[in-house]
Amino acid sequence: MNLILLGPPGAGKGTQTAALVKRYNLLSVCTGDIFRANFNAGTPLGLEAKQYMSQGLLVPDELTVRIVVDRLNQPDAQNGLLLDGFPRTVYQAEELEKYLANKAQKVDHCLLLDIPQKELMVRLTGRRSCRSCGRVWHLNFAPPPADLTCPTCGGQIYQRDDDGEVAASNRLKVYLAQTQPLAQWYKDKGLLKTVLASGSPEEVEKAIRLALEEKDQK
Ligand code: AMP
């Protein structure tokens, strides 16, 4: 099964990715993580991507598609994908469709995590993340340990610079303008499943399971 996880920044895509990967035995490919890992390693790709990411803008389509294709060409990516944060534009979705069709594959479902806009800024600006493994906390809802050391991997817990007020608000605008139209694009193909994502991670996980197991939504 190839799954796309769509939703605004702060909807909980990363949290649900962890559960979905386990349940359906998928490989997660998260473009944000790939860009951050490249930046941390000081690669030219990472440095280029950072210029856009720190302002809350999308990395240009061609660069993004190139890194995703590179990742999907690797041997461990041949069976069952969970794409988190990709595609984010109709161009990317079209390129993905062509790429998969060449391998006689397709997207099976696009899961939209739907959440009222007003909850998102609180979620984003209160979010804290592990610099090494990407695990997330929230200052109000799930506070990180006082010493800001990740209990999973020992990495440093920090606030992503694109979770600050200005970049976070830009990311929401960019989502509405460039990524939200993808929901209709996948709906027209009969692939969209919409799940309300304002509940606890467990509630959302359950709603996703029910949505994936029900017959296709009209
Ligand atoms: P995320 O971790 O998914 O919130 O992504 C962080 C940032 O990485 C985004 O705000 C973009 O700057 C960049 N990014 C991630 N995925 C994509 C994509 N599919 N297309 C363009 N830029 C992306």
mmCIF file of all heavy atoms in Angstrom, residues 7-10 13-14 30-36 49-61 63-65 67-68 84-89 92 124 127 160 162-163 167 170-171 174 178-179, ligand 1:
data_model
loop_
_atom_site.group_PDB
_atom_site.id
_atom_site.type_symbol
_atom_site.label_atom_id
_atom_site.label_comp_id
_atom_site.label_asym_id
_atom_site.label_seq_id
_atom_site.Cartn_x
_atom_site.Cartn_y
_atom_site.Cartn_z
ATOM 1 N N GLY A 7 -1.903 17.383 5.040
ATOM 2 C CA GLY A 7 -2.511 18.180 6.107
ATOM 3 C C GLY A 7 -1.634 19.373 6.379
ATOM 4 O O GLY A 7 -0.445 19.367 6.043
ATOM 5 N N PRO A 8 -2.198 20.404 6.999
ATOM 6 C CA PRO A 8 -1.415 21.603 7.262
ATOM 7 C C PRO A 8 -0.296 21.326 8.253
ATOM 8 O O PRO A 8 -0.358 20.347 9.009
ATOM 9 C CB PRO A 8 -2.454 22.562 7.873
ATOM 10 C CG PRO A 8 -3.538 21.696 8.381
ATOM 11 C CD PRO A 8 -3.563 20.480 7.513
ATOM 12 N N PRO A 9 0.727 22.198 8.277
ATOM 13 C CA PRO A 9 1.763 22.043 9.287
ATOM 14 C C PRO A 9 1.116 22.107 10.670
ATOM 15 O O PRO A 9 0.243 22.952 10.902
ATOM 16 C CB PRO A 9 2.694 23.239 9.043
ATOM 17 C CG PRO A 9 2.010 24.135 8.084
ATOM 18 C CD PRO A 9 0.930 23.369 7.405
ATOM 19 N N GLY A 10 1.493 21.202 11.544
ATOM 20 C CA GLY A 10 0.921 21.201 12.891
ATOM 21 C C GLY A 10 -0.262 20.264 13.032
ATOM 22 O O GLY A 10 -0.799 20.089 14.126
ATOM 23 N N LYS A 13 1.066 15.152 11.384
ATOM 24 C CA LYS A 13 1.471 14.150 10.390
ATOM 25 C C LYS A 13 2.612 13.290 10.912
ATOM 26 O O LYS A 13 2.597 12.083 10.757
ATOM 27 C CB LYS A 13 1.887 14.830 9.073
ATOM 28 C CG LYS A 13 0.751 15.583 8.386
ATOM 29 C CD LYS A 13 1.118 16.033 6.984
ATOM 30 C CE LYS A 13 2.212 17.087 6.940
ATOM 31 N NZ LYS A 13 1.869 18.372 7.590
ATOM 32 N N GLY A 14 3.600 13.937 11.539
ATOM 33 C CA GLY A 14 4.760 13.181 12.037
ATOM 34 C C GLY A 14 4.346 12.157 13.092
ATOM 35 O O GLY A 14 4.789 11.010 13.061
ATOM 36 N N CYS A 30 9.841 11.247 4.593
ATOM 37 C CA CYS A 30 9.397 12.575 5.044
ATOM 38 C C CYS A 30 10.371 13.604 4.471
ATOM 39 O O CYS A 30 11.550 13.632 4.851
ATOM 40 C CB CYS A 30 9.399 12.606 6.575
ATOM 41 S SG CYS A 30 9.157 14.252 7.219
ATOM 42 N N THR A 31 9.866 14.408 3.543
ATOM 43 C CA THR A 31 10.770 15.349 2.864
ATOM 44 C C THR A 31 11.359 16.376 3.840
ATOM 45 O O THR A 31 12.531 16.711 3.732
ATOM 46 C CB THR A 31 10.042 16.061 1.698
ATOM 47 O OG1 THR A 31 8.703 16.342 2.097
ATOM 48 C CG2 THR A 31 10.031 15.210 0.466
ATOM 49 N N GLY A 32 10.570 16.837 4.806
ATOM 50 C CA GLY A 32 11.096 17.790 5.790
ATOM 51 C C GLY A 32 12.292 17.180 6.527
ATOM 52 O O GLY A 32 13.325 17.831 6.724
ATOM 53 N N ASP A 33 12.177 15.911 6.922
ATOM 54 C CA ASP A 33 13.283 15.241 7.629
ATOM 55 C C ASP A 33 14.504 15.104 6.719
ATOM 56 O O ASP A 33 15.644 15.252 7.171
ATOM 57 C CB ASP A 33 12.866 13.827 8.098
ATOM 58 C CG ASP A 33 11.954 13.876 9.316
ATOM 59 O OD1 ASP A 33 11.792 14.970 9.912
ATOM 60 O OD2 ASP A 33 11.386 12.815 9.678
ATOM 61 N N ILE A 34 14.259 14.800 5.446
ATOM 62 C CA ILE A 34 15.400 14.644 4.523
ATOM 63 C C ILE A 34 16.134 15.983 4.390
ATOM 64 O O ILE A 34 17.360 16.047 4.472
ATOM 65 C CB ILE A 34 14.932 14.139 3.129
ATOM 66 C CG1 ILE A 34 14.320 12.746 3.248
ATOM 67 C CG2 ILE A 34 16.099 14.132 2.140
ATOM 68 C CD1 ILE A 34 13.725 12.194 1.943
ATOM 69 N N PHE A 35 15.364 17.062 4.246
ATOM 70 C CA PHE A 35 16.009 18.378 4.132
ATOM 71 C C PHE A 35 16.762 18.729 5.419
ATOM 72 O O PHE A 35 17.884 19.213 5.375
ATOM 73 C CB PHE A 35 14.973 19.472 3.827
ATOM 74 C CG PHE A 35 14.388 19.401 2.440
ATOM 75 C CD1 PHE A 35 13.022 19.550 2.236
ATOM 76 C CD2 PHE A 35 15.197 19.203 1.328
ATOM 77 C CE1 PHE A 35 12.482 19.507 0.960
ATOM 78 C CE2 PHE A 35 14.660 19.145 0.044
ATOM 79 C CZ PHE A 35 13.297 19.301 -0.144
ATOM 80 N N ARG A 36 16.128 18.460 6.580
ATOM 81 C CA ARG A 36 16.795 18.801 7.852
ATOM 82 C C ARG A 36 18.065 17.976 8.045
ATOM 83 O O ARG A 36 19.083 18.486 8.489
ATOM 84 C CB ARG A 36 15.839 18.607 9.042
ATOM 85 C CG ARG A 36 14.892 19.801 9.254
ATOM 86 C CD ARG A 36 14.024 19.633 10.488
ATOM 87 N NE ARG A 36 13.039 18.585 10.324
ATOM 88 C CZ ARG A 36 11.857 18.747 9.712
ATOM 89 N NH1 ARG A 36 11.509 19.920 9.238
ATOM 90 N NH2 ARG A 36 11.029 17.731 9.581
ATOM 91 N N ALA A 49 18.127 24.149 0.653
ATOM 92 C CA ALA A 49 16.761 23.976 1.166
ATOM 93 C C ALA A 49 16.510 24.888 2.364
ATOM 94 O O ALA A 49 15.422 25.454 2.519
ATOM 95 C CB ALA A 49 16.544 22.516 1.554
ATOM 96 N N LYS A 50 17.524 25.053 3.191
ATOM 97 C CA LYS A 50 17.372 25.840 4.427
ATOM 98 C C LYS A 50 16.923 27.281 4.138
ATOM 99 O O LYS A 50 16.160 27.873 4.892
ATOM 100 C CB LYS A 50 18.720 25.837 5.161
ATOM 101 C CG LYS A 50 18.750 26.643 6.431
ATOM 102 C CD LYS A 50 18.016 25.945 7.528
ATOM 103 C CE LYS A 50 18.225 26.631 8.850
ATOM 104 N NZ LYS A 50 17.499 25.990 9.921
ATOM 105 N N GLN A 51 17.410 27.834 3.027
ATOM 106 C CA GLN A 51 17.039 29.216 2.696
ATOM 107 C C GLN A 51 15.523 29.370 2.583
ATOM 108 O O GLN A 51 14.964 30.396 2.914
ATOM 109 C CB GLN A 51 17.622 29.617 1.342
ATOM 110 C CG GLN A 51 19.122 29.644 1.302
ATOM 111 C CD GLN A 51 19.595 29.823 -0.150
ATOM 112 O OE1 GLN A 51 18.829 30.254 -1.017
ATOM 113 N NE2 GLN A 51 20.841 29.479 -0.411
ATOM 114 N N TYR A 52 14.878 28.341 2.062
ATOM 115 C CA TYR A 52 13.419 28.392 1.908
ATOM 116 C C TYR A 52 12.731 28.003 3.207
ATOM 117 O O TYR A 52 11.782 28.636 3.647
ATOM 118 C CB TYR A 52 12.974 27.447 0.786
ATOM 119 C CG TYR A 52 13.601 27.795 -0.539
ATOM 120 C CD1 TYR A 52 14.768 27.178 -0.971
ATOM 121 C CD2 TYR A 52 13.041 28.779 -1.348
ATOM 122 C CE1 TYR A 52 15.358 27.518 -2.181
ATOM 123 C CE2 TYR A 52 13.621 29.125 -2.556
ATOM 124 C CZ TYR A 52 14.788 28.490 -2.969
ATOM 125 O OH TYR A 52 15.357 28.840 -4.156
ATOM 126 N N MET A 53 13.235 26.925 3.823
ATOM 127 C CA MET A 53 12.581 26.384 5.019
ATOM 128 C C MET A 53 12.525 27.407 6.140
ATOM 129 O O MET A 53 11.515 27.531 6.827
ATOM 130 C CB MET A 53 13.326 25.144 5.524
ATOM 131 C CG MET A 53 13.244 23.993 4.561
ATOM 132 S SD MET A 53 14.366 22.673 5.016
ATOM 133 C CE MET A 53 13.459 21.882 6.329
ATOM 134 N N SER A 54 13.621 28.152 6.344
ATOM 135 C CA SER A 54 13.641 29.040 7.500
ATOM 136 C C SER A 54 12.641 30.186 7.333
ATOM 137 O O SER A 54 12.234 30.804 8.300
ATOM 138 C CB SER A 54 15.056 29.553 7.767
ATOM 139 O OG SER A 54 15.512 30.154 6.607
ATOM 140 N N GLN A 55 12.226 30.436 6.085
ATOM 141 C CA GLN A 55 11.205 31.489 5.872
ATOM 142 C C GLN A 55 9.795 30.912 5.813
ATOM 143 O O GLN A 55 8.838 31.639 5.573
ATOM 144 C CB GLN A 55 11.455 32.192 4.546
ATOM 145 C CG GLN A 55 12.783 32.915 4.492
ATOM 146 C CD GLN A 55 12.966 33.524 3.108
ATOM 147 O OE1 GLN A 55 12.240 34.431 2.721
ATOM 148 N NE2 GLN A 55 13.908 32.998 2.352
ATOM 149 N N GLY A 56 9.690 29.603 5.922
ATOM 150 C CA GLY A 56 8.367 28.981 5.839
ATOM 151 C C GLY A 56 7.899 28.803 4.403
ATOM 152 O O GLY A 56 6.710 28.579 4.154
ATOM 153 N N LEU A 57 8.838 28.898 3.445
ATOM 154 C CA LEU A 57 8.460 28.740 2.026
ATOM 155 C C LEU A 57 8.731 27.310 1.572
ATOM 156 O O LEU A 57 9.527 26.600 2.191
ATOM 157 C CB LEU A 57 9.298 29.688 1.160
ATOM 158 C CG LEU A 57 9.147 31.169 1.498
ATOM 159 C CD1 LEU A 57 10.127 31.995 0.682
ATOM 160 C CD2 LEU A 57 7.712 31.623 1.236
ATOM 161 N N LEU A 58 8.120 26.926 0.465
ATOM 162 C CA LEU A 58 8.394 25.596 -0.069
ATOM 163 C C LEU A 58 9.740 25.589 -0.789
ATOM 164 O O LEU A 58 10.102 26.552 -1.468
ATOM 165 C CB LEU A 58 7.304 25.170 -1.069
ATOM 166 C CG LEU A 58 5.912 24.916 -0.506
ATOM 167 C CD1 LEU A 58 5.007 24.348 -1.602
ATOM 168 C CD2 LEU A 58 5.941 23.967 0.691
ATOM 169 N N VAL A 59 10.441 24.484 -0.653
ATOM 170 C CA VAL A 59 11.651 24.257 -1.444
ATOM 171 C C VAL A 59 11.172 24.072 -2.898
ATOM 172 O O VAL A 59 10.111 23.464 -3.120
ATOM 173 C CB VAL A 59 12.371 22.993 -0.918
ATOM 174 C CG1 VAL A 59 13.576 22.646 -1.771
ATOM 175 C CG2 VAL A 59 12.776 23.192 0.553
ATOM 176 N N PRO A 60 11.912 24.599 -3.885
ATOM 177 C CA PRO A 60 11.418 24.509 -5.265
ATOM 178 C C PRO A 60 11.100 23.066 -5.680
ATOM 179 O O PRO A 60 11.783 22.124 -5.275
ATOM 180 C CB PRO A 60 12.578 25.075 -6.089
ATOM 181 C CG PRO A 60 13.290 25.992 -5.153
ATOM 182 C CD PRO A 60 13.155 25.372 -3.789
ATOM 183 N N ASP A 61 10.064 22.972 -6.506
ATOM 184 C CA ASP A 61 9.547 21.658 -6.920
ATOM 185 C C ASP A 61 10.618 20.734 -7.495
ATOM 186 O O ASP A 61 10.677 19.560 -7.160
ATOM 187 C CB ASP A 61 8.472 21.852 -8.004
ATOM 188 C CG ASP A 61 7.098 22.107 -7.397
ATOM 189 O OD1 ASP A 61 6.896 21.786 -6.217
ATOM 190 O OD2 ASP A 61 6.227 22.619 -8.119
ATOM 191 N N LEU A 63 13.868 20.551 -7.212
ATOM 192 C CA LEU A 63 14.813 20.037 -6.214
ATOM 193 C C LEU A 63 14.114 18.990 -5.332
ATOM 194 O O LEU A 63 14.653 17.913 -5.052
ATOM 195 C CB LEU A 63 15.300 21.214 -5.358
ATOM 196 C CG LEU A 63 16.322 20.921 -4.283
ATOM 197 C CD1 LEU A 63 17.561 20.302 -4.891
ATOM 198 C CD2 LEU A 63 16.700 22.209 -3.551
ATOM 199 N N THR A 64 12.893 19.291 -4.936
ATOM 200 C CA THR A 64 12.154 18.389 -4.053
ATOM 201 C C THR A 64 11.867 17.057 -4.746
ATOM 202 O O THR A 64 12.092 15.984 -4.177
ATOM 203 C CB THR A 64 10.834 19.059 -3.610
ATOM 204 O OG1 THR A 64 11.150 20.302 -3.004
ATOM 205 C CG2 THR A 64 10.072 18.197 -2.640
ATOM 206 N N VAL A 65 11.412 17.134 -5.996
ATOM 207 C CA VAL A 65 11.096 15.896 -6.721
ATOM 208 C C VAL A 65 12.373 15.064 -6.878
ATOM 209 O O VAL A 65 12.369 13.852 -6.714
ATOM 210 C CB VAL A 65 10.446 16.214 -8.090
ATOM 211 C CG1 VAL A 65 10.361 14.978 -8.967
ATOM 212 C CG2 VAL A 65 9.048 16.799 -7.875
ATOM 213 N N ILE A 67 15.002 14.874 -4.907
ATOM 214 C CA ILE A 67 15.425 14.146 -3.704
ATOM 215 C C ILE A 67 14.446 13.001 -3.389
ATOM 216 O O ILE A 67 14.846 11.963 -2.889
ATOM 217 C CB ILE A 67 15.643 15.038 -2.452
ATOM 218 C CG1 ILE A 67 14.368 15.715 -2.041
ATOM 219 C CG2 ILE A 67 16.752 16.028 -2.623
ATOM 220 C CD1 ILE A 67 13.964 15.320 -0.676
ATOM 221 N N VAL A 68 13.189 13.188 -3.725
ATOM 222 C CA VAL A 68 12.224 12.112 -3.451
ATOM 223 C C VAL A 68 12.478 10.932 -4.400
ATOM 224 O O VAL A 68 12.511 9.780 -3.974
ATOM 225 C CB VAL A 68 10.769 12.624 -3.585
ATOM 226 C CG1 VAL A 68 9.773 11.473 -3.521
ATOM 227 C CG2 VAL A 68 10.470 13.619 -2.477
ATOM 228 N N ASP A 84 5.135 11.505 3.862
ATOM 229 C CA ASP A 84 4.748 12.511 4.853
ATOM 230 C C ASP A 84 5.350 13.848 4.418
ATOM 231 O O ASP A 84 6.568 14.008 4.428
ATOM 232 C CB ASP A 84 5.274 12.060 6.223
ATOM 233 C CG ASP A 84 5.282 13.163 7.256
ATOM 234 O OD1 ASP A 84 4.750 14.254 6.997
ATOM 235 O OD2 ASP A 84 5.852 12.937 8.347
ATOM 236 N N GLY A 85 4.493 14.766 3.988
ATOM 237 C CA GLY A 85 5.000 16.081 3.561
ATOM 238 C C GLY A 85 5.307 16.140 2.076
ATOM 239 O O GLY A 85 5.855 17.134 1.602
ATOM 240 N N PHE A 86 5.003 15.116 1.360
ATOM 241 C CA PHE A 86 5.178 15.080 -0.097
ATOM 242 C C PHE A 86 4.033 14.267 -0.670
ATOM 243 O O PHE A 86 3.736 13.190 -0.146
ATOM 244 C CB PHE A 86 6.517 14.424 -0.461
ATOM 245 C CG PHE A 86 6.743 14.394 -1.963
ATOM 246 C CD1 PHE A 86 7.381 15.434 -2.603
ATOM 247 C CD2 PHE A 86 6.295 13.312 -2.720
ATOM 248 C CE1 PHE A 86 7.570 15.404 -3.988
ATOM 249 C CE2 PHE A 86 6.480 13.286 -4.095
ATOM 250 C CZ PHE A 86 7.116 14.337 -4.727
ATOM 251 N N PRO A 87 3.390 14.689 -1.740
ATOM 252 C CA PRO A 87 3.583 15.953 -2.454
ATOM 253 C C PRO A 87 2.959 17.138 -1.709
ATOM 254 O O PRO A 87 2.079 16.973 -0.880
ATOM 255 C CB PRO A 87 2.845 15.696 -3.772
ATOM 256 C CG PRO A 87 1.782 14.698 -3.428
ATOM 257 C CD PRO A 87 2.361 13.833 -2.368
ATOM 258 N N ARG A 88 3.438 18.324 -2.045
ATOM 259 C CA ARG A 88 2.888 19.548 -1.461
ATOM 260 C C ARG A 88 2.390 20.504 -2.537
ATOM 261 O O ARG A 88 1.896 21.583 -2.199
ATOM 262 C CB ARG A 88 3.967 20.254 -0.638
ATOM 263 C CG ARG A 88 3.888 19.989 0.863
ATOM 264 C CD ARG A 88 5.116 20.639 1.482
ATOM 265 N NE ARG A 88 4.946 21.059 2.836
ATOM 266 C CZ ARG A 88 5.456 20.418 3.885
ATOM 267 N NH1 ARG A 88 6.073 19.279 3.742
ATOM 268 N NH2 ARG A 88 5.322 20.920 5.085
ATOM 269 N N THR A 89 2.551 20.132 -3.790
ATOM 270 C CA THR A 89 2.004 20.947 -4.890
ATOM 271 C C THR A 89 1.426 19.973 -5.920
ATOM 272 O O THR A 89 1.799 18.792 -5.944
ATOM 273 C CB THR A 89 3.103 21.780 -5.597
ATOM 274 O OG1 THR A 89 4.048 20.872 -6.175
ATOM 275 C CG2 THR A 89 3.820 22.726 -4.675
ATOM 276 N N GLN A 92 4.128 18.357 -7.939
ATOM 277 C CA GLN A 92 4.780 17.212 -7.268
ATOM 278 C C GLN A 92 3.897 15.972 -7.340
ATOM 279 O O GLN A 92 4.383 14.856 -7.541
ATOM 280 C CB GLN A 92 5.088 17.551 -5.803
ATOM 281 C CG GLN A 92 6.145 18.633 -5.630
ATOM 282 C CD GLN A 92 6.387 18.998 -4.169
ATOM 283 O OE1 GLN A 92 5.942 18.319 -3.244
ATOM 284 N NE2 GLN A 92 7.100 20.095 -3.951
ATOM 285 N N LEU A 124 1.893 24.792 16.481
ATOM 286 C CA LEU A 124 3.220 24.978 15.866
ATOM 287 C C LEU A 124 4.176 25.723 16.782
ATOM 288 O O LEU A 124 5.312 25.292 16.981
ATOM 289 C CB LEU A 124 3.088 25.757 14.548
ATOM 290 C CG LEU A 124 2.516 24.973 13.372
ATOM 291 C CD1 LEU A 124 2.270 25.902 12.191
ATOM 292 C CD2 LEU A 124 3.451 23.845 12.960
ATOM 293 N N ARG A 127 5.502 23.779 19.753
ATOM 294 C CA ARG A 127 6.153 22.494 19.458
ATOM 295 C C ARG A 127 7.657 22.559 19.737
ATOM 296 O O ARG A 127 8.313 23.558 19.467
ATOM 297 C CB ARG A 127 5.925 22.164 17.980
ATOM 298 C CG ARG A 127 6.588 20.870 17.554
ATOM 299 C CD ARG A 127 5.947 20.318 16.342
ATOM 300 N NE ARG A 127 6.321 21.064 15.128
ATOM 301 C CZ ARG A 127 5.909 20.716 13.923
ATOM 302 N NH1 ARG A 127 5.119 19.669 13.766
ATOM 303 N NH2 ARG A 127 6.270 21.418 12.873
ATOM 304 N N ARG A 160 12.307 24.284 16.307
ATOM 305 C CA ARG A 160 12.674 24.474 14.895
ATOM 306 C C ARG A 160 12.495 25.940 14.543
ATOM 307 O O ARG A 160 11.528 26.556 14.973
ATOM 308 C CB ARG A 160 11.752 23.625 14.003
ATOM 309 C CG ARG A 160 12.140 22.182 13.949
ATOM 310 C CD ARG A 160 11.110 21.308 13.273
ATOM 311 N NE ARG A 160 10.466 21.891 12.084
ATOM 312 C CZ ARG A 160 9.568 21.249 11.338
ATOM 313 N NH1 ARG A 160 9.210 20.002 11.640
ATOM 314 N NH2 ARG A 160 9.014 21.817 10.291
ATOM 315 N N ASP A 162 11.536 27.203 11.912
ATOM 316 C CA ASP A 162 10.303 27.468 11.156
ATOM 317 C C ASP A 162 9.051 27.249 12.009
ATOM 318 O O ASP A 162 7.934 27.345 11.522
ATOM 319 C CB ASP A 162 10.235 26.669 9.847
ATOM 320 C CG ASP A 162 10.322 25.169 10.024
ATOM 321 O OD1 ASP A 162 10.618 24.712 11.143
ATOM 322 O OD2 ASP A 162 10.076 24.440 9.039
ATOM 323 N N ASP A 163 9.207 26.968 13.302
ATOM 324 C CA ASP A 163 8.058 26.935 14.224
ATOM 325 C C ASP A 163 7.897 28.269 14.968
ATOM 326 O O ASP A 163 6.997 28.417 15.797
ATOM 327 C CB ASP A 163 8.202 25.785 15.237
ATOM 328 C CG ASP A 163 7.826 24.427 14.637
ATOM 329 O OD1 ASP A 163 7.147 24.403 13.591
ATOM 330 O OD2 ASP A 163 8.205 23.397 15.228
ATOM 331 N N ALA A 167 7.583 32.470 10.646
ATOM 332 C CA ALA A 167 7.697 31.379 9.672
ATOM 333 C C ALA A 167 6.482 30.452 9.756
ATOM 334 O O ALA A 167 5.972 29.977 8.734
ATOM 335 C CB ALA A 167 8.987 30.599 9.915
ATOM 336 N N ASN A 170 3.686 31.976 7.897
ATOM 337 C CA ASN A 170 3.935 31.822 6.450
ATOM 338 C C ASN A 170 3.630 30.414 5.978
ATOM 339 O O ASN A 170 3.080 30.209 4.901
ATOM 340 C CB ASN A 170 5.418 32.060 6.124
ATOM 341 C CG ASN A 170 5.666 33.509 5.858
ATOM 342 O OD1 ASN A 170 4.728 34.258 5.614
ATOM 343 N ND2 ASN A 170 6.919 33.896 5.916
ATOM 344 N N ARG A 171 4.016 29.424 6.784
ATOM 345 C CA ARG A 171 3.794 28.035 6.368
ATOM 346 C C ARG A 171 2.302 27.757 6.211
ATOM 347 O O ARG A 171 1.887 27.046 5.313
ATOM 348 C CB ARG A 171 4.415 27.073 7.388
ATOM 349 C CG ARG A 171 5.933 27.059 7.300
ATOM 350 C CD ARG A 171 6.554 26.494 8.539
ATOM 351 N NE ARG A 171 6.348 25.077 8.680
ATOM 352 C CZ ARG A 171 6.378 24.429 9.839
ATOM 353 N NH1 ARG A 171 6.584 25.077 10.962
ATOM 354 N NH2 ARG A 171 6.217 23.135 9.872
ATOM 355 N N VAL A 174 1.208 29.351 2.968
ATOM 356 C CA VAL A 174 1.702 28.565 1.832
ATOM 357 C C VAL A 174 0.881 27.281 1.690
ATOM 358 O O VAL A 174 0.530 26.863 0.585
ATOM 359 C CB VAL A 174 3.208 28.240 2.041
ATOM 360 C CG1 VAL A 174 3.669 27.141 1.104
ATOM 361 C CG2 VAL A 174 4.043 29.490 1.825
ATOM 362 N N GLN A 178 -0.873 26.589 -1.792
ATOM 363 C CA GLN A 178 -0.218 25.641 -2.697
ATOM 364 C C GLN A 178 -0.530 24.175 -2.434
ATOM 365 O O GLN A 178 -0.458 23.361 -3.334
ATOM 366 C CB GLN A 178 1.307 25.857 -2.649
ATOM 367 C CG GLN A 178 1.687 27.207 -3.239
ATOM 368 C CD GLN A 178 3.188 27.426 -3.188
ATOM 369 O OE1 GLN A 178 3.692 28.091 -2.286
ATOM 370 N NE2 GLN A 178 3.892 26.849 -4.122
ATOM 371 N N THR A 179 -0.817 23.834 -1.182
ATOM 372 C CA THR A 179 -0.963 22.411 -0.865
ATOM 373 C C THR A 179 -2.424 21.998 -0.712
ATOM 374 O O THR A 179 -2.817 20.913 -1.156
ATOM 375 C CB THR A 179 -0.162 22.061 0.415
ATOM 376 O OG1 THR A 179 1.175 22.533 0.244
ATOM 377 C CG2 THR A 179 -0.142 20.570 0.674
HETATM 378 P P1 AMP B 1 7.814 19.681 7.434
HETATM 379 O O1 AMP B 1 8.824 19.038 8.309
HETATM 380 O O2 AMP B 1 7.010 18.709 6.638
HETATM 381 O O3 AMP B 1 6.976 20.698 8.170
HETATM 382 O O4 AMP B 1 8.634 20.514 6.334
HETATM 383 C C1 AMP B 1 9.498 21.581 6.725
HETATM 384 C C2 AMP B 1 9.843 22.415 5.520
HETATM 385 O O5 AMP B 1 10.545 21.637 4.546
HETATM 386 C C3 AMP B 1 8.667 23.005 4.758
HETATM 387 O O6 AMP B 1 8.152 24.178 5.365
HETATM 388 C C4 AMP B 1 9.316 23.294 3.400
HETATM 389 O O7 AMP B 1 10.157 24.425 3.462
HETATM 390 C C5 AMP B 1 10.219 22.074 3.225
HETATM 391 N N1 AMP B 1 9.488 20.971 2.552
HETATM 392 C C6 AMP B 1 9.153 19.770 3.079
HETATM 393 N N2 AMP B 1 8.494 19.017 2.181
HETATM 394 C C7 AMP B 1 8.407 19.768 1.056
HETATM 395 C C8 AMP B 1 7.810 19.564 -0.222
HETATM 396 N N3 AMP B 1 7.181 18.429 -0.527
HETATM 397 N N4 AMP B 1 7.914 20.566 -1.132
HETATM 398 C C9 AMP B 1 8.575 21.709 -0.854
HETATM 399 N N5 AMP B 1 9.131 21.986 0.335
HETATM 400 C C10 AMP B 1 9.052 21.026 1.290
#
